[in-house]
Every structure is written in C-alpha cells, then in structure tokens.
Amino acid sequence: MSTLDMIEAAAVRLNGHVRETSLLTSPFLDKLAGRRVLVKPECLQHTGSFKFRGAWSAISALDDADRQRGVIAYSSGNHAQGVAFAATQHGISSVIVMPSDAPQLKINNTRALGGEVVLYDRANESREEIGETLAAQRGLTLIRPYDEPQVIAGQGTTGLEIARQAADMGVDQADVLVCCGGGGLTSGIALALESHAPGLRARPCEPEGFDDVKRSLATGQIQNNNAAAGNICDAILTPQPGDITFPILRRLCGPGLSVTEDEAMRAMAQAFLRLKIVLEPGGAVSLASALFRRDEIEGDSVIVVASGGNADPEVFGKALEFLT
Amino acid sequence: MSTLDMIEAAAVRLNGHVRETSLLTSPFLDKLAGRRVLVKPECLQHTGSFKFRGAWSAISALDDADRQRGVIAYSSGNHAQGVAFAATQHGISSVIVMPSDAPQLKINNTRALGGEVVLYDRANESREEIGETLAAQRGLTLIRPYDEPQVIAGQGTTGLEIARQAADMGVDQADVLVCCGGGGLTSGIALALESHAPGLRARPCEPEGFDDVKRSLATGQIQNNNAAAGNICDAILTPQPGDITFPILRRLCGPGLSVTEDEAMRAMAQAFLRLKIVLEPGGAVSLASALFRRDEIEGDSVIVVASGGNADPEVFGKALEFLT
C-alpha cells in the first residue's frame, strides 16, 4: 500500500534529480476558465512527462544488488522514456519491451536515453511472456507503469510540490485536475494532498469514450473501456484503473471529468499561446477540463496538472490550426 | 549608468512578482551541441518574454506620484505586453503606441493585458510626436525598451538567477548566449555575471544581416543595420546597439554570434521536441548559436537564454516542418 510516508521518502530520493516544476499562470486562461488557473507543467520534467518521477522512485528504492541487475518495462510511450533515462542516470541497464509497430521516433528516443529496446509482434507475441523470460534470465526487476507502490509514491511528489506551491500563492481550496490513465499520478497526488493540503481535491480527467476511471468512481466498482485504442490521447488510454490505485482514487478523489479530442487539442493550442509550453493531447485533458467543463468545477481557483508534452509534430500542428 | 547595485535592488522589487525560470536540459541537445546545454526559458516569464522584468523594474522604481500618472511605451511586440501587464499589476494605466498595421492579435493581447493602445500611421505620423504629446498632456513616464538604466537593471536579474543556478549545477565557466536586439538583456546579464559569476561570459546572438551588435563589438564602434525589417526574428531587430548598452557590451561581452533564419527555426523545432517549450524566432537565435556555431563557442558547457516565446502559430507550424 502506498502511503504518505512512502511519498515523503521518495521526495528525498528524488531531490536534486527531478525537476521541481513551477505553477504557471496567465490572465487569458483565467478569463477562459472563469476562475484562476494554476498549471503544473510536468511536460518540462525530464523526458517530457511526470513518468520520470515514478521511474526514479522505483529504481532508487531497489536494493543495490537488484538494481545492479537492471530493470525492465513494457511501454511504447512516456513510461518507457522515463524508465530508460532514470536507469541510465543510475548507471544501470534497462530493457524496454515495445511493439514493433511503435513510431520510430519513440523507439529511437528510448534507445538514445539508454534503453535496450526489445520489439515484439503485437499480433503474435505476448509482451508479458517476452518480458518474463528476459527478467528471469537476467534477474531484471519489472517497473510497472502505475500499479506499483513506489511508482505511485514517485508520482505523488508532484502533489507535495502542488501543496507547497499553491499555499505560497494563497490557494488552499481548489480542485486539482489530473490527466488520468491507470491512476498512478492521480492517486499519488491525492495521497499527498490528503495530508499536506486537505482543501485541495484531486479529480481525474480523461478522454470521452475512455473514461473508465470516471465511471468506476461513479459506480464504486472498477469499470472497463470498450476499446483499447482509437483516441488521440494515447498516453492515457488504459483498459481500467489499477487494483492498487482504484481504492485510493475512490477514497480521496472528486468526480471524474471527460473531454473530447477537439477540446484536448484546443487546450494544447491555449497552452502554446498563453503559457508557451508544449502539451501532448493526453497531457492536456486536465487543462481542457478547466477550460471547457467550468460548471463541473468548484471554487475560485483550479489547479491543472499538465502531465506530458511528448506531442507528435503533426498532431501539434493540427492543434495550432484551432488558433487560426 | 546601470550598475550591479541597481540590478540587486531591482531583484528585491521583482521578488514575488516575476517568475524565476529554471535552467532546462536535455541529453539530446547536449549531443547536438557537443557540450552540456543549460537553457534559461524566459518564454515562461509573464507575458511570454523577459521584457516583463525590465518593465516591472522601471515601473516599480518610479516615485509614487509619477507612477500614479501612468506610463507610455512605443512597441508592437514583447515590450508592449510587458509594460502593459506590469502597469496593470501595479494598478496604474499604460499607453502603448503601436503602428496601425501591427498584427491584430498583438493589439488585442496588449489591450487584454490592460494597455490603452494608441495606433499611428507608420507612413505619415511620428510615434515620438504622438507619444510626447500624450506624455505631456497626461504626465506619463516613457519606458524605453532598452536604453534605460532601470530596464537594464530588471533584465539583469536574469543574470543573477543564472549565476546562482549555474553554480548549483556545477557550472562556473561557460559562454552565456543571449538573444540581442538593443542590448538591454545582454548588458544587464553581463553586469550581473561580472560580479556574481566571473567565469561566465555573455555573448550576444543575432540574425545574420541584422548583426549590428556583433559588428559593433568587432569594430569597437556602434554600427547600423542596413535594413530595419525583413527577417523572421522580428523581436530583436533594432537599428543599432543603445548608447547606454553598448559601452557595457563592449567592456564585458565576448564576440557576437549570428545565425540564419532557417537555423533559428530549427532551434525552435528542437526546443519543441526536447524541452517542450515554445520559442519565437528571435528568442531562439541563442539556442541556434549553441547548436549550429559549436566551433565559435568555448567550454564544456554553454548557457542559453531563450528570451521569448510569442511565436505566431503559422511561423511555429513552419518550424515544426523541420522535424518531418
């Protein structure tokens, strides 16, 4: 079980290795959202997303002998880059199991960050089997993307920073909108806020049609998405909330929010125009919720965790068309 | 004359009002540049550029009676937005004199930030005459964009932050590349570094064909540009270095650097891809110099001041095409 103690211990291990991102503001966004908007730009984190926090936390928590044997992760996205770079920074090896049809840029980036990429055929091979075989052969430790206490603890350091930074800006009552896939970031933040800023309430944000967490919270039971893919917010498409994350989300979070693909793209355009940051669609659903779900949000201020910026240039170009 | 004392006093006045921007890094940029690259993202500053620092410094340095009468500036760009917003935050009025053919978005932004926009006909009217008449009628104080000691002092606070942040990262010898128009930012940073980080050396970066500062430094005398416009780096096109800034630049800076428009655009694309920040062409010439003028730079590390991010969406879209 992840606890506040684990998050605070992770913060000590992360100190000096993870970037503390500042809360950004813009009077233009305040006007659009109808309230003060404070944006936590985790796109500026190492490797372009919050995933580096969880990866660093998990790797740094291993005992020396396990760590030296290396780590393994299944991911074609932000978790892959976070694990690869955190491993390289620790001076250890990482194996990243990716589908052979993953975009070449993501494969190249993961390799350039020091990851050993092992490709598998999505149609005919099981990544779990490949991963388990490699892990057993080499004694690698699997770093799960969200349903892993030390990963949740690392993501939770985002919440410790929010609590402190929001207090410095005079905000002690607000919804905290978090882009949510499996719920690692949202649950970590919710745990941190519970003790450090009890007036701040985490709320998961998802793409419409992939709102498994929102529906799970509404029904009190884990719900699945109908489809596994087919939305531009690829970074946060997961089949269902995690077994470890869901009880935390259920106990601590406010209702979920969901936005359309167009709304996510419009939020990317506003982040470009008003904050000068690059968001990917899945990292912008929180800002989109702040801008386009005003009536579902409470309070004079809202905090937005903009979780990642690894946007494809073509997709980003399309988002900019909303400005013209 | 601007001095270190003025910069340190400005830092006290700016504290809590100006964003302290962190130094960003990427292993990918290090590889491209052939050395460690530390980027100071002033695009994340309020109003999207460092100009807010100088504006805040100048307005906060006025005596109360003068300040209450309001301020005036001539600018269609970043200085306009910086002055308008700093004035609004001080609860005073600002008049911004802009050419009637300025882009509508810039006029709208300046108004939305609280500026009273006065348009003039570039062909038939003199902005100085209009400004002087208004200033005399209303008792407004003119805030010059760079040749003004308190503006230089405000921009110099960027240098104080660089000195402290670079030391924290173990960098005490490096070239500091600064996007340079009239030289307010470059001279302010150079003054701050002289005392606080004597191993760091400011170097102005400009677009080719508009390298008045580079040529002025090379010849020891103020040189003009042949043209007043006609380059995508519009934010830093000035006819010549300032009378106040040039002696500072001459005494403290290393040789100037200049880059092509395409190189500025390529640097914007890399900042998008690797740092997740938005730069405008004039704010990217420093990064372009780090990436494409490796042989003209000394040391194992280089510090890059990315001075602004108010990029036109169409221009930004063109920059992204360099990635495909």
Side-chain angles (χ1 to χ4, degrees):
Chain A
M1 185 60 191
S2 277
T3 64
L4 179 68
D5 286 349
M6 286 178 66
I7 298 174
E8 289 177 341
V12 172
R13 296 197 307 278
L14 268 59
N15 186 28
H17 302 288
V18 165
R19 235 169 240 154
E20 177 168 330
T21 52
S22 308
L23 292 176
L24 302 179
T25 57
S26 159
F28 295 97
L29 294 184
D30 295 351
K31 197 168 176 191
L32 282 176
R35 50 174 61 85
R36 193 171 175 207
V37 182
L38 313 179
V39 177
K40 180 89 172 154
E42 280 295 301
C43 52
L44 304 179
Q45 191 52 263
H46 295 293
T47 70
S49 86
F50 73 96
K51 290 284 190 183
F52 182 75
R53 294 178 185 260
W56 188 281
S57 172
I59 292 172
S60 62
L62 294 174
D63 69 40
D64 264 350
D66 286 340
R67 185 166 48 237
Q68 288 311 318
R69 282 191 293 272
V71 295
I72 185 168
Y74 314 124
S75 168
S76 59
N78 291 334
H79 181 58
Q81 296 190 43
V83 170
F85 193 53
T88 300
Q89 297 289 90
H90 274 90
I92 66 165
S93 62
S94 61
V95 173
I96 311 294
V97 184
M98 298 175 81
S100 50
D101 59 353
Q104 195 59 43
L105 180 68
K106 290 191 172 176
I107 295 174
N108 292 349
N109 282 349
T110 305
R111 282 190 178 132
L113 291 168
E116 176 189 342
V117 175
V118 173
L119 298 174
Y120 73 100
D121 176 355
R122 225 194 267 256
N124 300 307
E125 294 183 291
S126 149
R127 66 179 192 178
E128 282 77 12
E129 268 178 37
I130 293 173
E132 278 163 22
T133 304
L134 277 169
Q137 283 171 351
R138 303 201 206 166
L140 306 174
T141 302
L142 174 65
I143 310 288
R144 290 183 183 82
Y146 51 87
D147 232 13
E148 159 60 46
Q150 289 295 3
V151 169
I152 296 171
Q155 321 304 27
T157 62
T158 317
L160 296 182
E161 292 177 16
I162 289 170
R164 190 174 63 249
Q165 294 167 343
D168 285 348
M169 296 173 81
V171 175
D172 59 4
Q173 294 283 332
D175 282 353
V176 178
L177 310 186
V178 188
C179 305
C180 190
L185 179 62
T186 314
S187 62
I189 288 175
L191 283 170
L193 297 179
E194 180 186 20
S195 306
H196 285 256
L200 305 183
R201 176 179 68 156
R203 298 186 61 185
C205 301
E206 297 169 294
E208 284 183 10
F210 296 83
D211 57 348
D212 51 300
V213 175
K214 180 182 175 184
R215 287 183 289 107
S216 300
L217 289 175
T219 59
Q221 297 213 320
I222 288 182
Q223 305 288 322
N224 286 276
N225 288 324
N226 289 323
N231 186 287
I232 201 167
C233 302
D234 56 299
I236 58 169
L237 303 185
T238 42
Q240 58 179 56
D243 293 331
I244 299 178
T245 57
F246 181 62
I248 304 170
L249 300 175
R250 191 178 170 195
R251 183 167 69 82
L252 296 173
C253 288
L257 298 152
S258 57
V259 297
T260 66
E261 291 180 294
D262 266 14
E263 287 167 337
M265 298 279 270
R266 286 176 191 277
M268 290 168 65
Q270 289 300 318
F272 161 88
L273 188 64
R274 302 309 183 187
L275 299 175
K276 314 305 173 187
I277 59 173
V278 175
L279 298 183
E280 62 189 284
V285 294
S286 51
L287 181 58
S289 299
L291 300 182
F292 305 116
R293 295 294 177 275
R294 295 166 57 147
D295 295 346
E296 298 179 34
I297 296 169
E298 291 180 22
D300 297 334
S301 300
V302 64
I303 297 169
V304 167
V305 181
S307 55
N310 290 316
D312 184 84
E314 288 84 26
V315 171
F316 200 82
K318 288 209 181 85
L320 293 183
E321 290 174 11
F322 283 101
L323 296 174
T324 56
Chain B
M1 186 60 191
S2 277
T3 64
L4 180 67
D5 286 349
M6 285 177 67
I7 298 173
E8 290 177 340
V12 172
R13 296 197 306 279
L14 268 59
N15 185 29
H17 303 289
V18 166
R19 236 169 238 155
E20 177 168 330
T21 52
S22 307
L23 292 175
L24 302 179
T25 57
S26 159
F28 295 98
L29 295 184
D30 295 351
K31 197 167 178 193
L32 283 175
R35 49 174 62 84
R36 192 171 175 207
V37 182
L38 313 179
V39 177
K40 180 89 172 154
E42 280 294 302
C43 52
L44 303 179
Q45 191 52 262
H46 295 293
T47 70
S49 86
F50 73 97
K51 291 284 190 182
F52 182 74
R53 295 179 185 261
W56 188 281
S57 172
I59 292 172
S60 62
L62 294 175
D63 69 40
D64 264 349
D66 286 341
R67 185 165 48 237
Q68 288 311 318
R69 282 191 291 272
V71 296
I72 184 168
Y74 313 125
S75 168
S76 59
N78 292 335
H79 181 59
Q81 295 190 43
V83 169
F85 192 53
T88 299
Q89 298 288 92
H90 274 89
I92 66 165
S93 63
S94 63
V95 172
I96 312 294
V97 184
M98 300 175 81
S100 50
D101 59 352
Q104 195 60 42
L105 180 68
K106 290 192 173 176
I107 294 173
N108 291 349
N109 282 350
T110 305
R111 283 191 178 132
L113 292 168
E116 177 190 340
V117 175
V118 173
L119 299 173
Y120 73 99
D121 175 357
R122 225 193 268 257
N124 299 308
E125 292 182 290
S126 149
R127 67 178 191 179
E128 283 76 13
E129 268 177 37
I130 292 171
E132 278 163 25
T133 303
L134 278 169
Q137 283 171 351
R138 303 200 207 166
L140 307 173
T141 301
L142 174 65
I143 311 288
R144 291 184 182 81
Y146 50 87
D147 234 12
E148 158 61 46
Q150 289 295 2
V151 169
I152 296 171
Q155 321 305 28
T157 61
T158 316
L160 296 181
E161 292 176 15
I162 289 171
R164 189 174 63 249
Q165 294 168 342
D168 286 348
M169 295 173 81
V171 175
D172 59 4
Q173 295 282 331
D175 283 352
V176 179
L177 310 186
V178 189
C179 305
C180 190
L185 179 61
T186 314
S187 61
I189 288 175
L191 282 170
L193 297 178
E194 181 186 20
S195 307
H196 285 257
L200 304 183
R201 177 179 66 156
R203 297 186 62 184
C205 301
E206 296 168 292
E208 283 184 9
F210 295 83
D211 57 350
D212 51 299
V213 174
K214 180 181 176 184
R215 288 182 289 106
S216 300
L217 289 174
T219 60
Q221 297 213 317
I222 288 182
Q223 305 288 323
N224 286 277
N225 288 324
N226 289 324
N231 186 288
I232 201 167
C233 303
D234 57 301
I236 58 169
L237 303 184
T238 42
Q240 58 179 56
D243 293 330
I244 299 178
T245 58
F246 181 61
I248 303 170
L249 300 176
R250 192 178 168 193
R251 183 167 70 81
L252 296 174
C253 287
L257 297 151
S258 57
V259 297
T260 67
E261 291 180 294
D262 267 14
E263 287 167 337
M265 299 278 270
R266 285 176 190 278
M268 290 167 65
Q270 289 300 318
F272 162 88
L273 189 64
R274 301 310 183 187
L275 299 175
K276 315 304 174 188
I277 58 173
V278 174
L279 298 183
E280 62 189 283
V285 294
S286 51
L287 181 58
S289 299
L291 300 181
F292 304 117
R293 295 294 178 276
R294 295 166 56 145
D295 296 346
E296 298 179 34
I297 296 169
E298 291 180 22
D300 296 334
S301 299
V302 64
I303 297 168
V304 168
V305 181
S307 55
N310 290 315
D312 184 84
E314 289 84 26
V315 170
F316 200 82
K318 289 209 180 83
L320 293 183
E321 290 174 11
F322 283 102
L323 296 174
T324 57

